[in-house]
């Protein structure tokens, strides 16, 4: 495995490996199924590409990607969620292979909306293998390569970040082509159930002794307030639904550093990847997701008004609770204690700030 990360300013690394012969063959198969809009020059580059010189990145929950820099990306669906127990697999109608055509349709619709950044609309048909019952087992598609790297963490120009939220707000989520490509608001973790909330309320008992006092004394009330509010907002949005990306952080935003005045560097947004969790929902979720990477201290400057800033803090706290719930469930599944210190340091300030919004 080799680590691929930003060339400057970032802290994210992505584990990558050389492509297997089967993955190279799959890229060539998709290159034989290019869509009609692909121009002749691009088609020639794709059909003649040296896919063996690419790298397979493993970071996605739903997909693995074969990246050939400056040429294209092959998105390959996973048989099971990354990190899942051996032998597990997606339910047929919940698998990335089942949803890949819909997700590619959304990208095609977004390209037609002339957004101020690039979106990796498909270059090929979605290739898929099926079971004997006709259920999609695995799927793949070619998409454009978008240059860039993650923005340096814990900083950013609020006006530029607000521009991202405005661009998403401007997309009509009731438009037929857009609406057909969107998923549910809780596609990744699922809605909060009473059982999940109760399990998270009992988290203090699951923590190692050295972290027993790390959680707020009002932990049960905190969990109840944030989780039930988020559950209500999922079913009854606090404002008119807008386009929510679902994961505006890290490698999903491709930034290009350009020289500014003196020694300054200006970060220009080149494109946004990974629209798998896109849905119609509260635009404050976009603000919260940007704050995960750029810092929650920027929320007031990114948000449209104080009401949106308050909702963004609640959504950020909700994401923090989900991270803790994931860790709790993983510890329960494996029976092995986790390293809670780093996670708690990261998410507890977000939970504390969320409670100030009530």
């Amino acid at each position: 495995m080799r680590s691929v990360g930003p060339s400057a300013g970032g802290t994210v690394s992505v584990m990558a490996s050389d492509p297997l012969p089967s993955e190279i063959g799959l890229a060539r198969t998709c290159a034989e199924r290019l869509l009609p809009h692909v121009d002749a020059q691009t088609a020639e580059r794709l059909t003649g590409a040296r896919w063996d010189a690419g790298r397979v990145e493993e970071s996605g929950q739903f997909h693995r990607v074969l990246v050939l820099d400056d040429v294209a990306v092959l998105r390959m669906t996973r048989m099971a969620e990354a990190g899942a127990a051996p032998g597990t697999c997606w339910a047929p109608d919940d698998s990335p292979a089942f949803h890949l055509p819909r997700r590619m349709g959304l990208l095609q619709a977004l390209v037609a909306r002339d957004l101020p950044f690039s979106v990796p609309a498909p270059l090929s048909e979605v290739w898929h293998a099926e079971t004997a019952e006709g259920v999609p087992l695995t799927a793949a598609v070619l998409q454009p390569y978008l240059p860039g790297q993650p923005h340096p963490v814990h900083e950013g120009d609020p006006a530029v970040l607000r521009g991202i939220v405005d661009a998403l707000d401007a997309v009509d989520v009731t438009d037929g082509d857009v609406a057909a490509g969107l998923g549910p608001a809780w596609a990744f973790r699922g809605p909060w159930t009473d059982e999940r909330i109760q399990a998270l309320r009992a988290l203090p008992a699951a923590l190692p002794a050295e972290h027993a006092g790390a959680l707020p004394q009002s932990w049960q009330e905190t969990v109840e307030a944030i989780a039930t509010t988020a559950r209500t907002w999922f079913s009854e949005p606090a404002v008119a639904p807008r386009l929510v990306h679902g994961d505006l952080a890290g490698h999903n935003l491709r930034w290009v550093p350009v020289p500014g005045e003196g020694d300054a560097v200006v970060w220009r947004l080149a494109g946004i990847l990974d629209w798998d969790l896109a849905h119609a929902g509260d635009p404050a979720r976009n603000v919260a997701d940007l704050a995960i990477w750029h810092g929650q201290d920027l929320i007031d400057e990114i948000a449209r008004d104080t009401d949106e800033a308050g909702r963004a803090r609640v959504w950020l706290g909700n994401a923090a609770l989900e991270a803790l719930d994931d860790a709790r469930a993983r510890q329960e599944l494996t029976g092995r204690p986790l390293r809670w210190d780093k996670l708690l340091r990261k998410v507890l300030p977000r939970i504390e700030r969320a409670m100030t919004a009530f």
Side-chain angles (χ1 to χ4, degrees):
M1 300 293 284
R2 47 193 166 112
S3 180
V4 177
S7 59
T11 60
V12 170
S13 63
V14 176
M15 297 308 297
S17 59
D18 295 328
L20 299 173
S22 59
E23 295 163 339
I24 296 170
L26 186 54
R28 292 171 178 163
T29 295
C30 287
E32 295 172 354
R33 293 165 169 78
L34 299 180
L35 296 174
H37 73 269
V38 177
D39 62 79
Q41 183 178 8
T42 301
E44 184 176 357
R45 291 185 69 202
L46 292 171
T47 55
R50 287 288 309 275
W51 290 101
D52 57 326
R55 64 183 182 275
V56 176
E57 296 184 357
E58 304 283 351
S59 60
Q61 292 291 324
F62 304 126
H63 305 91
R64 301 162 67 248
V65 291
L66 169 52
V67 180
L68 187 56
D69 288 343
D70 301 319
V71 178
V73 171
L74 177 72
R75 176 168 292 230
M76 303 172 285
T77 62
R78 291 185 179 275
M79 298 287 289
E81 184 177 354
T88 60
C89 62
W90 303 98
D93 60 354
D94 196 35
S95 71
F98 178 82
H99 290 288
L100 191 59
R102 170 181 63 77
R103 288 165 171 163
M104 291 301 104
L106 173 64
L107 297 182
Q108 289 175 308
L110 293 180
V111 166
R113 270 58 188 179
D114 195 27
L115 294 169
F117 44 75
S118 294
V119 172
L123 297 170
S124 72
E125 300 173 0
V126 175
W127 173 92
H128 62 269
E130 296 179 346
T131 64
E133 294 76 24
V135 177
L137 183 66
T138 184
V141 65
L142 283 176
Q143 295 177 268
Y145 173 84
L146 297 187
Q149 64 188 67
H151 193 288
V153 295
H154 303 147
E155 62 179 75
D157 183 341
V160 174
L161 300 176
R162 179 66 222 177
I164 298 172
V165 180
D166 286 338
L168 298 177
D169 282 358
V171 176
D172 182 3
V173 293
T174 66
D175 176 89
D177 291 337
V178 174
L182 298 175
W186 54 83
F188 190 33
R189 294 301 178 209
W192 284 108
T193 62
D194 291 340
E195 292 77 13
R196 283 181 67 201
I197 292 175
Q198 290 305 316
L200 192 56
R201 284 171 53 126
L203 180 62
L207 291 177
E210 63 267 29
H211 301 303
L215 300 177
Q217 289 186 346
S218 57
W219 175 247
Q220 293 192 355
E221 293 80 3
T222 296
V223 171
E224 193 77 26
I226 297 175
T228 57
T229 298
R231 182 166 62 180
T232 298
W233 287 350
F234 275 136
S235 59
E236 303 172 14
V239 296
R242 304 293 180 90
L243 178 61
V244 177
H245 175 275
D247 192 9
L248 290 173
H251 282 270
N252 290 341
L253 277 71
R254 309 301 289 166
W255 299 87
V256 176
V258 297
E261 295 184 5
D263 296 331
V265 173
V266 176
W267 291 86
R268 179 179 61 82
L269 180 63
I272 298 182
L273 308 175
D274 197 354
W275 295 77
D276 295 342
L277 301 178
H279 62 274
D282 185 351
R285 291 192 71 186
N286 290 320
V287 178
D289 286 349
L290 289 170
I292 289 175
W293 187 260
H294 297 274
Q296 65 173 334
D297 289 342
L298 294 179
I299 284 180
D300 286 327
E301 296 179 81
I302 301 172
R304 183 186 305 278
D305 50 37
T306 56
D307 183 62
E308 185 171 82
R311 298 197 316 277
R313 289 194 175 89
V314 175
W315 286 122
L316 191 56
N318 178 71
L321 289 186
E322 289 184 327
L324 291 174
D325 187 50
D326 285 348
R328 174 203 59 77
R330 190 161 61 251
Q331 178 173 278
E332 184 177 293
L333 177 67
T334 64
R336 296 192 301 270
L338 303 180
R339 292 188 58 186
W340 287 93
D341 49 347
K342 182 178 179 180
L343 179 59
L344 291 170
R345 286 197 306 270
K346 181 171 68 174
V347 303
L348 287 181
R350 299 170 183 173
I351 293 170
E352 292 168 1
R353 289 284 292 275
M355 292 303 293
T356 68
F358 290 99

